[in-house]
Structure formats: C-alpha cells, structure tokens
Amino acid sequence: MHPPRILLGVNIDHIATLRQARGTRYPDPVQAALVAEEAGADGITVHLREDRRHIQLRDVRILAEVLNTRMNLEMAVTEEMLSLAEEIRPAHVCLVPEKREELTTEGGLDVVGGFDAIASACQRLSAAGCDVSLFIDPDIEQIDAAQRAGAPTIELHTGAYAEARPGSHEANAEYHRLTTAATHAVTLGLVVNAGHGLHYHNVEAIAALPGVNELNIGHAIIARALFVGLKEAVQEMKRLIIAGQEAGLMAALDAHDLEHDHEHADHAEHVHNGCCGH
C-alpha cells in the first residue's frame, strides 16, 4: 500500500511581520492564507507569540472561521494560550518553546524537563478536540517523553541540519540524527512532522525522511513570493516536497530489494553447501 502523500503546512507569520512593521492593515495574513490554500497548501500555520510581534489574536479568530483546510496553532505552554486553544479549538496545536529575545523559535521543547506541565497541556488540548504536536529536537529521549506525555504527533526541529554547510560532516551527522529520530518515532506509532529553516535547496532531503507526514515552512515561501508571487511560491515548494518523498520511497524500496537479494543469495548458498555435504 502506497503511503499517504506528504503534506505542506504554510506558515504565514512573516506576512504579519511586514504588516506590524508599519502598523497598517496590510498585507493581510488572512488573505495570504486563502491564497496559499488555493495554491495547494494542506494547512496554515500561525504562531501567536506572547509578545504579539507578528500574528495577532484577531488573525487567529478570523482564520478559525474562514480556513478551508486546517489551522496549526503554534503556541507556548502557558495558561493564557491553553485557555485560548480550548476556546477556539484549532484542528492542530503545536507546543513550542518561546523566549522574548529570540528572532525565531530556537531549539526544541524540553519535554523531559517540563514533563508534568506538557503532559497536562496535551491532556487539556486533546479534551478540546485538538491534535497535539510537540516541537522537539531529533533526540530519542525527547521523543520517548513526547509519547509518554500523550502527544500523538511530534514535529522534528530541522534547524541544525538547515544551518549546517551542505555536504559537510556536520550536515551529514544532523541528517543521520533526523533519520534515526524519524524512524524511532514511527516505530512508537507517532505521527512525524518536521520544520524550521527549510528552503527550496534543502527541503527534498527532509521530505525523503522515513515516515514524514508534513513539513511546515514559512520564511522561505514568503521570501520567494516577493519574486514569483505567493501562489507560485507555494506550488514550487509543494512540487519539491512531493519529489523528495518519492525519491525517499524509491531509495527505501531499492534498499529493501537489495537486502532481499542478499538474503536470497545467502539462502541459496546455504542450500548448495548442504547438498554438497551429502
């Protein structure tokens, strides 16, 4: 059976960043979300930060009413945000770490260190009908803790891989770490998403990771949209991630066939040696 097609979640935070820079009513992130949906986005991601530097509460409320796909609400584990999610009930909630001084989310959530609060948040959000995801580093201990906390989905932080020089030892090591993490999470029955720092030149390799369900991408798509328009930028990214997934599936199939051929050859040699022994 062919696995489900990989999904693209488009993060529209930076549309709101541009709006907030001048305090105008434009560009409208809600309009951007609808264009992205028409271009093939499978969901819209927004991060309602404590400092409200880009997405505003009004944006979230309107998006909850007008989206044709689904909202993925990124948020910190705070009482304010949990209460809001219980009120709005977005289809997906991704719990992320948050610091006021950071430019963007730095590092994954420490599920091990904050287990009780995160487990309680997962329980509350699940009771509200939200599919809960934890944004974590590709670390086995964190993945195990995420499962124990009751999160059905994780989002692997791809930032370290994205920031490494392509083809370098560091990039290869980070990719191996992501592959190991994704494989482990799938064996635990978790849904595996990924994101952070992904762009048009590195996304195919991440889309090829085993069992990846969805990639969440924002900055690269919005930056590309300046030159080709948002619709084309989303469509280009969608083509790349589908091509990456297909390449990964073909590589896995080739590896399986090679392993099967070796097993068959070993069995034939064993039978031959056994016959010769009589």
Side-chain angles (χ1 to χ4, degrees):
M1 181 174 155
H2 198 283
R5 177 180 55 76
I6 191 169
L7 305 176
L8 173 61
V10 175
N11 186 312
I12 58 170
D13 290 351
H14 290 297
I15 298 291
T17 297
L18 186 57
R19 178 192 61 189
Q20 297 305 116
R22 285 291 184 91
T24 57
R25 296 189 178 190
Y26 62 86
D28 184 3
V30 174
Q31 182 181 0
L34 297 178
V35 171
E37 283 187 326
E38 290 175 1
D42 299 290
I44 301 298
T45 296
V46 291
H47 184 179
L48 183 64
R49 295 180 61 99
E50 181 187 13
D51 59 18
R52 302 295 196 266
R53 67 173 65 167
H54 40 57
I55 294 295
Q56 304 298 304
L57 179 56
R58 178 176 179 272
D59 299 325
V60 176
R61 293 190 185 282
I62 295 174
L63 287 167
E65 294 293 329
V66 304
L67 286 181
N68 295 300
T69 55
R70 53 187 167 75
M71 182 195 300
N72 176 33
L73 178 61
E74 293 183 342
M75 59 179 239
V77 186
T78 65
E79 180 57 39
E80 177 199 11
M81 292 308 304
L82 287 170
S83 296
L84 176 65
E86 287 173 325
E87 174 198 341
I88 294 178
R89 298 174 179 256
H92 296 263
V93 170
C94 184
L95 298 177
V96 301
E98 189 175 304
K99 294 183 290 186
R100 277 186 177 268
E101 66 273 15
E102 66 190 0
L103 289 176
T104 183
T105 304
E106 299 173 355
L109 200 64
D110 182 7
V111 188
V112 175
F115 184 83
D116 290 343
I118 292 169
S120 175
C122 288
Q123 185 176 22
R124 285 178 62 177
L125 292 167
S126 294
C130 304
D131 178 59
V132 187
S133 174
L134 304 183
F135 183 72
I136 58 177
D137 291 327
D139 178 87
I140 299 300
E141 188 177 11
Q142 296 292 345
I143 293 170
D144 290 343
Q147 187 205 34
R148 293 197 306 274
T153 304
I154 61 168
E155 181 171 338
L156 294 175
H157 183 347
T158 56
Y161 171 75
E163 291 167 8
R165 181 172 57 83
S168 66
H169 173 74
E170 181 184 4
N172 292 335
E174 287 298 333
Y175 192 76
H176 176 72
R177 189 177 173 214
L178 285 162
T179 301
T180 301
T183 302
H184 180 69
V186 169
T187 63
L188 294 180
L190 295 172
V191 175
V192 179
N193 299 337
H196 199 79
L198 298 181
H199 53 71
Y200 292 85
H201 299 288
N202 64 15
V203 73
E204 287 185 82
I206 300 300
L209 288 172
V212 169
N213 168 69
E214 179 176 88
L215 299 181
N216 284 299
I217 306 171
H219 186 264
I221 291 176
I222 303 308
R224 178 68 173 152
L226 293 175
F227 302 98
V228 302
L230 183 55
K231 182 177 180 180
E232 177 60 27
V234 171
Q235 290 174 338
E236 285 181 16
M237 187 61 78
K238 190 79 174 279
R239 288 193 292 267
L240 286 172
I241 69 170
I242 292 173
Q245 181 191 41
E246 291 175 349
L249 293 172
M250 288 301 297
L253 183 60
D254 288 344
H256 177 269
D257 289 345
L258 185 61
E259 181 181 357
H260 178 74
D261 289 344
H262 284 164
E263 290 176 354
H264 183 72
D266 290 343
H267 176 71
E269 183 179 357
H270 175 74
V271 171
H272 176 72
N273 291 338
C275 292
C276 291
H278 285 294

